[in-house]
Amino acid sequence: MDAIRTDEGPRVVLTARRLGRDFSGFTAVNNVNLDVHHARIHALIGPNGAGKTTVFNLLTKFLQPTRGRITLLGTDITGTRPDAVARMGLVRSFQISAVFPDLTVLENVRVALQRPAGLHVQFWRGMGALERLNARADELIDNLGLTPWRDTRAADLSYGRKRVLEIATTLALDPEVLLLDEPMAGMGREDVRMVADIIRDVARTRAVLMVEHNLSVVADICHHVTVLQRGEILAEGDYATVSADPRVRTAYMGSEA
């Protein structure tokens, strides 16, 4: 089913309506509504403990919502398994880099390409069967600026390059919606600039929803910002709008000043 189109701009590819999650009487997420658009970068921000990662886990079905509904490309995925959601085009990264340290950049991307190529269950096939994945792997590696490190072990990459490699492995699944959980965490200034440019480029052809604490990055690359506090939406709009909201200033700084 096609994604929802609006008169205001790009089509909506992922929605959440009245999304909520309770844990033993504690409400971690309550009444969250989201619209994520194709070819746009949408930031989910808020103080520590605001519920951002829980929302990510609900959207990607690592957690089941207590209430509410989630729609991907016009299809209700509220009760769908995480692996099925990934095959439908909703793919995420994690706060901790998830690459195989003893494999090269090429080998890591090639492993990720095995599922869309149907090779992940064909264990009897020899290594030669993977050679046909090299062209697509090299294309992804080149697009993300990793060609000089193509044959480098992931363990020997800088932290920033490891995060770029992780983005490459998620893009191998050709997602319609890419969820990035704190992609800039732990990076130096140069790596932040590099990864921000890559995310901006990636979003030309797909939706990106990201949890990010670096507000300079959010201001620079994000089209829409949703601010969470105590599991509920506090404010939303472009960065200029939410950063000027006294409630947002209080949530982050403890006072309107």
Side-chain angles (χ1 to χ4, degrees):
M1 186 177 296
D2 290 338
I4 300 168
R5 291 187 179 275
T6 67
D7 295 333
E8 291 76 22
R11 69 188 189 274
V12 178
V13 292
L14 176 67
T15 68
R17 291 292 177 266
R18 303 186 65 82
L19 195 62
R21 172 71 190 201
D22 299 332
F23 294 96
S24 301
F26 169 72
T27 299
V29 171
N30 186 47
N31 201 32
V32 167
N33 296 310
L34 289 175
D35 286 314
V36 180
H37 294 78
H38 175 72
R40 291 291 184 269
I41 304 173
H42 188 140
L44 195 60
I45 69 172
N48 289 333
K52 303 180 297 294
T53 297
T54 301
V55 169
F56 256 39
N57 288 335
L58 292 171
L59 294 174
T60 52
K61 310 320 309 302
F62 285 83
L63 287 173
Q64 288 296 328
T66 305
R67 56 196 162 274
R69 187 166 68 95
I70 305 167
T71 303
L72 174 65
L73 301 172
T75 299
D76 190 326
I77 62 166
T78 309
T80 306
R81 290 170 51 91
D83 56 330
V85 167
R87 288 193 295 271
M88 292 170 66
L90 179 60
V91 179
R92 72 174 290 180
S93 71
F94 294 86
Q95 292 181 21
I96 300 174
S97 184
V99 295
F100 296 104
D102 292 325
L103 298 184
T104 67
V105 167
L106 173 64
E107 289 166 341
N108 268 280
V109 177
R110 208 164 57 178
V111 166
L113 285 168
Q114 289 182 46
R115 175 174 287 279
L119 296 175
H120 63 295
V121 293
Q122 299 182 18
F123 302 111
W124 64 90
R125 302 286 294 273
M127 287 296 295
L130 298 180
E131 295 299 320
R132 66 185 178 91
L133 302 178
N134 283 354
R136 175 57 179 152
D138 281 330
E139 181 183 7
L140 284 167
I141 289 168
D142 185 59
N143 288 345
L144 273 69
L146 289 171
T147 299
W149 298 273
R150 177 186 187 270
D151 299 313
T152 302
R153 288 192 325 143
D156 297 327
L157 296 173
S158 70
Y159 181 73
R161 299 290 175 189
K162 286 179 185 175
R163 299 312 300 259
V164 174
L165 175 57
E166 184 179 358
I167 293 174
T169 61
T170 59
L171 291 178
L173 299 176
D174 197 22
E176 288 279 350
V177 186
L178 179 60
L179 275 63
L180 301 175
D181 197 355
E182 297 192 32
M184 312 297 175
M187 288 187 188
R189 183 176 301 176
E190 289 187 7
D191 281 343
V192 165
R193 187 182 304 113
M194 170 191 66
V195 175
D197 287 342
I198 286 171
I199 293 171
R200 184 188 286 112
D201 190 59
V202 164
R204 297 180 192 278
T205 56
R206 70 200 76 235
V208 174
L209 177 64
M210 57 188 283
V211 168
E212 183 53 56
H213 284 290
N214 189 323
L215 296 185
S216 295
V217 171
V218 173
D220 184 36
I221 70 172
C222 293
H223 301 90
H224 192 84
V225 180
T226 298
V227 185
L228 290 181
Q229 184 183 35
R230 299 188 183 92
E232 297 187 347
I233 293 179
L234 179 65
E236 58 183 326
D238 60 23
Y239 184 79
T241 299
V242 300
S243 63
D245 191 317
R247 298 171 302 166
V248 175
R249 291 169 174 260
T250 299
Y252 271 98
M253 307 298 294
S255 71
E256 292 188 17

